[in-house]
Amino acid sequence: MTFANVGTLGVQPGKAEELVAILTRCNPEMEQAGCLVYEVGVSQDQPDTVCVVELWESAEAHRASLQLPSVQAAIGEARPLLTGEMGGYRFEVAGSPLRD
């Protein structure tokens, strides 16, 4: 069943663009691991919060992706930019009006 992870990451003031650059770097390994969608953005209302929307083939695929060397490297690079404030939701997708 498809798995969604929608999250927010608090970043140090003025560091959102730097985090977005890290998170949007091309990474073919993620698609190979089962990532269907990975979108990153920043709301003008909260410029020090980065939003991430992920859609995966399964929760297991998402968990496994966190062990990829490229993902571990990105996490290590991003960590100093984060404030520790995180939010969001994880859920199994029940359906969509855009597909059968």
Side-chain angles (χ1 to χ4, degrees):
M1 182 171 284
T2 308
F3 173 76
N5 185 38
V6 180
T8 57
L9 303 167
V11 292
Q12 301 294 334
K15 296 294 185 176
E17 281 187 39
E18 193 173 338
L19 181 60
V20 168
I22 293 167
L23 296 178
T24 58
R25 224 178 266 147
C26 184
N27 186 348
E29 287 184 312
M30 288 177 59
E31 185 175 7
Q32 294 167 0
C35 187
L36 305 171
V37 172
Y38 194 95
E39 302 293 336
V40 179
V42 179
S43 169
Q44 290 183 7
D45 296 336
Q46 296 180 331
D48 294 324
T49 300
V50 172
C51 302
V52 180
V53 176
E54 305 173 60
L55 194 61
W56 291 84
E57 290 176 357
S58 66
E60 295 77 24
H62 176 258
R63 275 193 297 277
S65 76
L66 297 174
Q67 302 309 311
L68 293 170
S70 59
V71 172
Q72 283 292 310
I75 291 170
E77 191 177 352
R79 190 170 280 128
L81 305 175
L82 303 175
T83 64
E85 294 179 47
M86 296 183 194
Y89 301 93
R90 295 174 175 208
F91 58 93
E92 298 292 334
V93 176
S96 169
L98 302 177
R99 62 180 191 274
D100 293 330

